[in-house]
Amino acid sequence: MMIMQSLKFYLSEHPSIVNFRWSNTQTFGSTWSFLFSSVAIYVVAASTLHTFLSLILPKRRRVPLGPIPAIHSLCISLISALIFIGILLSSAADIRDTRWFWRRTKTITTPFQWFLCFPLGTRPSGRVFFWSYVFYLSRFLHLLRTFLAVLRRRKLTFFHLFNQSILLFMSFLWLEFSQSFQVLAILLATLLYSVVYGYRFMAAIGLPSSACFSFVLNCRVVLLGCNLVCHFGVIFLHFVKGGCNGMGAWCFNSVLNGLILCLFLDFYFKRNLRKRTAGDISGHGGSSSSARYHRRSASEMKSE
């Protein structure tokens, strides 16, 4: 009981969490110039590293990184789990403290509606926005995986650069415009990251993890599907309940999410098509070639 009370205090009731306020003059990384500079530096640095390695090393030569990838995966998994628990406890506390305001605005009446639609006039301050800010900062840790993938597998794709850049951009917009739906999106994303990077940590230290590969890939599809369904809920509440906060940023984010969904589904279906083709080949005596394909496909997905 004491442990639970301490956990609630340090993750949802600590003064630094309760009194958090997103400010362009006082919060680190809160300016547009910082965001665009970070994305530009990331893209240029990753592209330069990939080009440099392509010029000085043989095509299949990899740079040994030791335990760094495993440590990176473990850190992201633990941080994601911490954000998930923190924003879940903070959401419960905010719902408890702001129910009186719901009755005045009449835009939301249930906690689930609050998860989808912030009342008009919501400002980026308080518990859930603190954890939204931590999630935004954690996106910079995700960027490091691009460089690890380039060093280990000499692989750099447009989808990877685009996906990482857009996710950083979207997490910034959540804070800048107090965008609706961000709490539910962070809960879904951090739950997925804790599982996916936990799997990658297991794979990096040599534990049996091949059985989890399809599960991890399907988790991403489920996440994208849940986001799509929830977007319809936001639209419904916006027009029926009198408006949700940050809908301009939400519309822009929806377009970016749609682009990511199209790129990912294109990769997902192409991979399944190649998998079935490899299965047909193995049925005609090409089992060794099929095995090499499956190992290569799993290696590619781990780098994404």
Side-chain angles (χ1 to χ4, degrees):
M1 194 66 178
M2 288 293 295
I3 296 177
M4 191 61 186
Q5 291 297 327
S6 297
L7 191 66
K8 285 184 177 181
F9 174 78
Y10 286 108
L11 296 183
S12 64
E13 301 295 345
H14 194 277
S16 61
I17 296 177
V18 176
N19 299 323
F20 171 80
R21 183 173 181 271
W22 172 263
S23 170
N24 295 130
T25 58
Q26 298 178 358
T27 309
F28 172 76
S30 61
T31 63
W32 288 95
S33 59
F34 178 86
L35 175 67
F36 284 112
S37 299
S38 299
V39 172
I41 292 172
Y42 162 69
V43 173
V44 171
S47 302
T48 302
L49 178 62
H50 182 261
T51 303
F52 177 72
L53 291 178
S54 299
L55 292 175
I56 66 171
L57 293 178
K59 186 175 182 180
R60 296 185 180 276
R61 178 75 176 276
R62 298 181 179 183
V63 179
L65 298 175
I68 295 177
I71 295 172
H72 178 263
S73 296
L74 180 61
C75 288
I76 292 185
S77 180
L78 294 177
I79 291 172
S80 298
L82 179 66
I83 296 173
F84 177 83
I85 297 171
I87 199 168
L88 190 63
L89 294 174
S90 296
S91 297
D94 275 359
I95 289 171
R96 178 197 67 209
D97 294 344
T98 59
R99 280 183 179 272
W100 64 271
F101 183 66
W102 299 357
R103 290 191 291 270
R104 287 188 177 185
T105 60
K106 297 181 180 180
T107 55
I108 55 177
T109 55
T110 66
F112 183 70
Q113 291 180 4
W114 178 83
F115 277 109
L116 292 175
C117 177
F118 283 154
L120 293 174
T122 300
R123 296 182 179 181
S125 60
R127 300 179 182 91
V128 296
F129 287 100
F130 170 85
W131 289 109
S132 182
Y133 177 61
V134 175
F135 180 81
Y136 165 63
L137 295 180
S138 73
R139 291 306 317 172
F140 290 93
L141 186 60
H142 283 258
L143 299 184
L144 294 178
R145 185 154 193 93
T146 303
F147 300 96
L148 297 178
V150 172
L151 291 170
R152 293 183 66 191
R153 298 183 175 85
R154 307 283 301 284
K155 183 176 177 61
L156 183 66
T157 63
F158 169 77
F159 172 73
H160 191 89
L161 286 175
F162 180 80
N163 183 58
Q164 295 288 359
S165 301
I166 291 305
L167 290 175
L168 178 63
F169 197 83
M170 288 193 299
S171 60
F172 177 89
L173 293 180
W174 290 348
L175 288 158
E176 184 68 15
F177 296 101
S178 304
Q179 184 189 310
S180 296
F181 177 61
Q182 63 176 284
V183 175
L184 193 56
I186 292 173
L187 284 170
L188 292 172
T190 51
L191 180 62
L192 174 70
Y193 292 151
S194 61
V195 173
V196 169
Y197 283 93
Y199 154 75
R200 286 173 170 167
F201 171 71
M202 292 172 58
I205 64 176
L207 294 178
S209 55
S210 58
C212 301
F213 175 65
S214 296
F215 172 73
V216 170
L217 186 60
N218 291 331
C219 277
R220 292 190 174 190
V221 177
V222 171
L223 174 64
L224 292 171
C226 289
N227 280 336
L228 183 62
V229 172
C230 291
H231 277 303
F232 287 108
V234 174
I235 294 175
F236 175 79
L237 290 175
H238 177 67
F239 287 106
V240 173
K241 293 291 187 176
C244 299
N245 202 68
M247 286 302 292
W250 177 87
C251 291
F252 186 66
N253 271 343
S254 297
V255 173
L256 298 179
N257 272 317
L259 292 175
I260 293 176
L261 177 62
C262 290
L263 289 172
F264 180 80
L265 290 179
D266 179 66
F267 167 81
Y268 182 77
F269 288 119
K270 283 182 178 179
R271 177 185 175 275
N272 285 337
L273 180 62
R274 291 198 302 268
K275 186 177 180 180
R276 287 196 297 269
T277 303
D280 293 340
I281 294 174
S282 66
H284 292 84
S287 58
S288 62
S289 175
S290 177
R292 286 194 300 270
Y293 161 75
H294 285 296
R295 287 194 297 268
R296 184 173 66 253
S297 179
S299 175
E300 288 175 357
M301 272 303 296
K302 287 174 189 176
S303 67
E304 292 298 325

